[in-house]
Structure formats: structure tokens, C-alpha cells
Amino acid sequence: MPPFLRRHPLGTVLVAVLLFVVLAVGTLPGILRGIPLGLDLRGGFEVLYRVEPIGGGSVTRDLLAQTQAVLERRINALGVSEPDLSVENPDRIRVKLAGVTDEKEARRILAAQAELTFREVVYDPQAGKLVPTDKVLLTGADLREGSARPELNPQTGEAEVAVAFKDPQKFEALTREYYGSLDRRIGIFFDNEMLSAPVVRAVIPNGQAVITGFKDLREAKDVATLLNAGALPVKLVEISSNVVSPTLGQAALRHGIEAGALAATFIAVFLTLFYRLPGLVAVLSLSVYLYLMFVVLWGVPVTLTLPGIAAFILGMGMAVDANILTDERIKEELRAGRPLKVAVRLGSQKSLRSILDAHVTTIIAALVLFFLGTGSVRGFALVLITSNVVNLLTNVALSRLILYLLVESPLLGKPHLFGVGEAKAHVA
């Protein structure tokens, strides 16, 4: 131990505690606001899809990855923060959207095929109307990426979607071919439904076009969103869904916070009354543990869910257990007649292996849950792993460092402060 710490152990600890309190008070409110909440705490929408390849075939990893990428772009267009998309083998994708209030719109945007095609349509005298042929002239893949935008026609006030093509010359050739024809036109289809089949009244050389036939501007916005995100390469079949209201989510969050606060208060009182000075050290270490856990959840960031809160509290229980195990070992050494400094050192050493065994086995079990589990199970495992690592840093390493410093102080280096009478122990 450095000479300065030996000369001023109590002052060093007090200054460190003061700095920690200032840091926590100044940064904790912003950190707590920045932790992303899952839909079970914030409210939202969850849906599980089965992926079915169009035209048959098997579901491959590449196909799942392509589907996930399209869904992510659609979710970004919805303006949802912190979406959770996970692929569940062999052919399922789970989507969690926290904060979504209109699940019908979310369903429509997510599962729509969004296949845009420009096909030839011809006039059928027998049917007395325009009918599509099998000739596909252009597809959504020919659009310039991100070019679709909804707008209102200034002359008619009708909703429309303006688009631009990657190859203007190709589109120019098509408009030239169908120019002025009433019986042969370019039909615009979205998910096999014809939106419009306008007469080409001019050759368009710049690759710009307008899609009409929408009921209102909202429908035009949805189509523009889907076109910019891209068409799904598969068909999504909804297997299950779950909607959590914001009110229910906030109630779950409040109850989780109340349970955690009650547990922390009870633990702090118990440790202080029963273990005295080591109990106070344990409370301090637990405070640092809680702060660092919030920092990790905010910085990674990890979406916090109800199972995550359960793992958080479970980690706090393991932290308490680590401190109690160390403090009981120290008491045993004091009762055996060891000097205080020796008892602290031996008690810490003898408890370390048991603490490490408990944490390592818990981390191994959590890793199994993380790699084999799905959804909230993985979230629980991730928070549990994080809590155990932070626990080893704070409630094992930090607690021991503080105890080693405090026993160097003439004011605090007394056995009765460790819950053992003077008659049963030696001071030095």
C-alpha cells in the first residue's frame, strides 16, 4: 500500500466517497433517462413472423438477413427508437417495437410485400376495360434508392408519390414506346393491385415519374416508405403478437423500481446493523455497483426489460452475498484470536474462492441462456452477466480495498466495529 494511503487512510476513503457522491448526483439523472426501455416497461408492440420464400424453396441465412435488413429500414421510417429485431432459427423473425401505439399501422408497414411493378396493360374489347398482361416493364428495383416521396398535386390536390429511376434512358424508351396510346399503357401495380394506368402524353427523358391512385396522403406516405425500404424477398406469416399499453408498461416500471428500492433499503439497514463497519463498506460498494450498472446499461446500450430488472436485483443479491461471506470470514478469524489486520486479510482470502466459484458458475449458466435462449431470456442473461462482472469489481475488489484502508486508521481499526467484542480479538 502506498505510504500516503497508510498515513491518511480515513481521509482517502472520505474524499473518494465525496467525489463519488458528486459524480453520481451530477450524472445519474441523465443516465437514467438515457437507458432504453423494452416494450414491457414502455408499452409497445411485439410480433413473431414465420418466413416463407416466395415461389417455394428453403429458408437460408442470407434470406433471413435480407428480410431483417428490409424490416429495419421500414422500422426506421416509422421513427421507432431502439427497435429489437432477432432471427430465431430456422425460419422466424421476432420484432419488438417499444413505444408504438398504432399496432395496426405497424403490422401493415412490416408485413406488406411492397412489390412495385410497371406492367403493360391493354384494352380488352370483350371485358370493356384495361387488363394487365404478363409483360413486366419495370420493378421497384429500378427505382433510385430513397427517391420515393409523397406529395400533393398542386393542380388537383390529389395525393401522389414522386419517384426517380436509376436508368433514365430505359424509362425514356418505355415512354416513347407507349406514347399517346389509349389501348396500350404502362400500368402501375403495388402488391398486384393496379393503382393507375395513365396515358403517356409525353416522352420523359429525365427518369422522373409520378404514381397516382391513392385515397389520401397517408396512403401515399405509407407506399413511399415501403418503396424506400425495399420489397420483402419473402412472405411474412404472423404467428403471434403481443400489445402492451403504455399505462401497463409504466405501471410495471414503477413496480420494478419500487421493488428494487425496497430491497436496497432493507439490505442497507440489515448490513449496517448486523455487520457495522464492514456493513457500511458493503453499502458503499453496492452504491458504486448500482451506479456502474446504470452506466453500462446506458452506454452499451442494453434495452432494459422486466426480466432485466429481475437479473439486476438478482445481481444485487449476489453482491450482498459476497460481502456477507467476506464479513463472516473476518468475524471467524477475529473470534479465533487473530489481530484485526490479519483477520481482515485472512477472511478476505478465504472467502475469495467461494465468491469466485459462485460468480463464474453463474456467468457460465447465463452464457448458456444467452446463446440458446431468445427474446427476453437473452436480455435476462445479458444483464446477469454484466451484473456479475461489475460485482467482482465493486463488491469484491473495491470492498476489500476500502476495508484494508480503514483498518489502518486508529479510529476505525477496532474489533467491536466489526461485530466482535474486544475480549475475543486482538487489535494488532
Side-chain angles (χ1 to χ4, degrees):
M1 187 179 295
F4 175 80
L5 296 182
R6 287 185 178 274
R7 291 196 300 270
H8 309 283
L10 182 58
T12 301
V13 172
L14 292 177
V15 170
V17 171
L18 179 62
L19 291 176
F20 168 71
V21 171
V22 172
L23 177 65
V25 170
T27 60
L28 195 56
I31 291 173
L32 292 176
R33 286 193 299 268
I35 296 176
L37 301 178
L39 63 89
D40 53 356
L41 297 177
R42 187 179 168 192
F45 172 66
E46 175 184 4
V47 60
L48 178 64
Y49 290 113
R50 183 175 67 248
V51 174
E52 294 184 356
I54 299 174
S58 59
V59 178
T60 63
R61 283 188 177 181
D62 289 340
L63 191 60
L64 287 172
Q66 293 172 22
T67 305
Q68 185 177 12
V70 172
L71 290 175
E72 286 176 350
R73 290 195 294 269
R74 293 184 179 185
I75 291 169
N76 291 335
L78 284 172
V80 178
S81 61
E82 306 298 338
D84 182 6
L85 276 79
S86 57
V87 174
E88 300 180 5
N89 291 325
D91 60 355
R92 299 184 181 187
I93 294 180
R94 187 180 298 274
V95 181
K96 295 182 180 180
L97 304 178
V100 169
T101 55
D102 189 348
E103 70 274 9
K104 292 182 179 179
E105 180 186 8
R107 276 192 175 96
R108 186 174 67 252
I109 295 294
L110 289 174
Q113 197 65 44
E115 182 182 9
L116 177 71
T117 54
F118 294 76
R119 306 183 205 168
E120 181 184 66
V121 295
V122 297
Y123 181 75
D124 185 349
Q126 294 181 349
K129 63 179 181 179
L130 293 168
V131 295
T133 68
D134 294 332
K135 187 176 181 180
V136 178
L137 306 174
L138 294 167
T139 68
D142 293 303
L143 296 181
R144 190 183 303 161
E145 186 175 346
S147 66
R149 67 181 188 279
E151 57 187 25
L152 289 174
N153 188 300
Q155 280 77 37
T156 65
E158 294 180 352
E160 57 189 28
V161 175
V163 296
F165 292 93
K166 297 177 182 176
D167 188 353
Q169 294 178 349
K170 182 178 181 181
F171 185 62
E172 179 184 0
L174 285 175
T175 58
R176 190 182 304 279
E177 179 182 350
Y178 290 88
Y179 171 67
S181 175
L182 297 177
D183 296 334
R184 292 177 66 243
R185 305 183 190 182
I186 300 175
I188 304 172
F189 293 80
F190 188 76
D191 284 347
N192 293 319
E193 179 182 348
M194 188 168 70
L195 297 176
S196 62
V199 176
V200 180
R201 301 190 182 278
V203 176
I204 304 175
N206 59 4
Q208 305 288 328
V210 172
I211 303 173
T212 60
F214 303 106
K215 292 182 296 184
D216 50 33
L217 186 59
R218 178 175 179 177
E219 184 181 6
K221 287 181 178 178
D222 289 345
V223 170
T225 296
L226 293 170
L227 292 179
N228 288 329
L232 283 171
V234 298
K235 179 183 179 182
L236 294 180
V237 178
E238 184 176 320
I239 298 175
S240 63
S241 63
N242 180 35
V243 179
V244 179
S245 71
T247 303
L248 184 60
Q250 290 298 319
L253 177 60
R254 185 177 67 255
H255 293 157
I257 293 175
E258 290 173 354
L262 184 62
T265 302
F266 176 78
I267 289 169
V269 172
F270 169 77
L271 289 174
T272 304
L273 293 179
F274 198 80
Y275 291 101
R276 301 181 187 180
L277 181 61
L280 284 174
V281 172
V283 171
L284 175 61
S285 298
L286 279 172
S287 301
V288 178
Y289 159 81
L290 292 173
Y291 177 77
L292 290 180
M293 281 296 298
F294 289 135
V295 170
V296 171
L297 292 175
W298 166 76
V300 172
V302 176
T303 300
L304 187 61
T305 62
L306 276 176
I309 291 180
F312 199 112
I313 296 176
L314 177 60
M316 188 166 62
M318 294 190 66
V320 173
D321 183 64
N323 281 286
I324 288 177
L325 190 59
T326 301
D327 296 345
E328 286 293 340
R329 293 294 188 194
I330 293 173
K331 276 187 174 184
E332 289 177 3
E333 297 300 324
L334 287 172
R335 291 190 183 104
R338 301 280 195 278
L340 180 58
K341 295 180 183 178
V342 176
V344 170
R345 187 178 70 254
L346 290 178
S348 300
Q349 291 174 354
K350 290 181 178 180
S351 63
L352 183 60
R353 181 167 182 175
S354 298
I355 295 171
L356 289 177
D357 287 346
H359 283 72
V360 170
T361 53
T362 302
I363 290 174
I364 291 173
L367 285 172
V368 173
L369 287 176
F370 182 80
F371 286 109
L372 298 183
T374 58
S376 58
V377 174
R378 297 189 69 186
F380 172 86
L382 183 59
V383 175
L384 186 57
I385 292 170
T386 305
S387 67
N388 273 264
V389 174
V390 175
N391 193 10
L392 289 173
L393 295 174
T394 56
N395 294 288
V396 178
L398 181 62
S399 290
R400 282 162 168 71
L401 176 61
I402 295 174
L403 281 176
Y404 291 159
L405 285 172
L406 293 181
V407 294
E408 296 291 336
S409 171
L411 295 176
L412 301 178
K414 303 180 184 299
H416 73 273
L417 295 178
F418 287 73
V420 178
E422 296 282 355
K424 298 181 180 180
H426 298 285
V427 176

